[in-house]
Amino acid sequence: MTRLIVGIGGTTRPESTSELAVRAALRAVEDRGAETLHLGGAFLARLPLYAPESTARTVEQQTLVEAVRRADGLVIGTPGYHGGISGLVKNALDLLEDLRDDTRVYVDGRAVGLVVTAAGAQACGTTLAALRAVVHALRGWPTPLGVTLGTGGSRRLFGPDGACADARTAAQLDLLGQQVTSFADALSRTVTTSRMP
C-alpha cells in the first residue's frame, strides 16, 4: 500500500526557505515510493484563526484535517520567529484538535519530520524544541533528525529553481525524508492506537 506523507509549512512569502525545505524533504519521500501532499504558505494563509468554540469549517480547514487524518506521516516546517513557531504554522496545528475524537487521535502512531529555518542558531534550537513538544502533545513520533537551517549570511541554500543548492542541506533533508518514510512503514506495522479515557 502506498503511504501518504503530508507536508505542512511555509510562510506568506512565495518560495520561502522553510517552504522550499519542506518540498525538498517531500521529494526525498517521493523518491522512496510514497505519495505526498504539500500544504504550503499560501494555503495556510487562507486558514481562519482557529476558534475552539466554533465547529464551522472552511473548505481549507476541512482539507487540512482530512489530509492529516489520512496521512501515514508528516513533514512540518516553520521559520523561527522570535524563538518560536510561526503563527501561520501554529494555527494549522491548532486545527488538528478536530482529530481528538478519532480512533487514531491527533497524529498518534505517525512519524513527523521537523524543519526549522531562522537567521540565528538560538532561534533554530528553541523553535525546534517547541515544535517537538507540540508533536509530542499531538502524540506524534518526531524523527531523530530535526533539520535546522541557518538563513543568515550570504550562503544560498536553494537556487532560483527551488532546488537545494547546498550539499549539506540536501543531505539532511534527504535523510529526514528517509526517516519519515521508513518510520511510517515501521509504525504502521507495530503501533496500535486508542483514545485515552
Side-chain angles (χ1 to χ4, degrees):
M1 182 176 80
T2 303
R3 302 263 171 247
L4 172 64
I5 308 299
V6 173
I8 297 172
T11 72
T12 54
R13 183 171 57 81
E15 306 299 307
S16 69
T17 303
S18 57
E19 184 150 331
L20 292 173
V22 171
R23 285 188 203 159
L26 291 178
R27 281 193 297 275
V29 165
E30 291 169 356
D31 289 345
R32 288 161 176 87
E35 179 186 345
T36 64
L37 172 65
H38 182 211
L39 304 173
F43 174 89
L44 299 178
R46 295 195 302 272
L47 294 173
L49 189 64
Y50 174 67
E53 72 280 4
S54 173
T55 58
R57 294 290 178 256
T58 65
V59 170
E60 289 82 7
Q61 287 175 312
Q62 292 171 10
T63 298
L64 177 90
V65 171
E66 287 305 314
V68 173
R69 181 174 277 137
R70 290 179 30 238
D72 299 292
L74 300 164
V75 174
I76 301 172
T78 182
Y81 288 161
H82 309 291
I85 303 165
S86 76
L88 201 65
V89 172
K90 185 61 168 63
N91 185 52
L93 297 177
D94 288 345
L95 184 60
L96 300 184
E97 183 64 16
D98 283 7
L99 302 174
R100 72 182 172 277
D101 293 323
D102 281 19
T103 301
R104 191 166 66 159
V105 181
Y106 301 128
V107 297
D108 193 11
R110 281 166 273 195
V112 185
L114 305 176
V115 181
V116 174
T117 62
Q122 182 174 348
C124 279
T126 58
T127 304
L128 180 61
L131 195 52
R132 282 187 186 274
V134 170
V135 171
H136 283 139
L138 290 169
R139 303 188 198 180
W141 294 72
T143 56
L145 177 65
V147 177
T148 59
L149 302 176
T151 57
S154 59
R155 184 176 66 139
R156 291 192 49 86
L157 301 179
F158 296 91
D161 60 352
C164 202
D166 178 75
R168 182 173 178 273
T169 299
Q172 285 186 314
L173 294 171
D174 184 73
L175 179 56
L176 185 73
Q178 175 189 327
Q179 288 186 353
V180 170
T181 308
S182 61
F183 290 9
D185 288 340
L187 288 169
S188 71
R189 293 189 299 268
T190 61
V191 175
T192 58
T193 61
S194 62
R195 294 203 327 239
M196 291 179 70

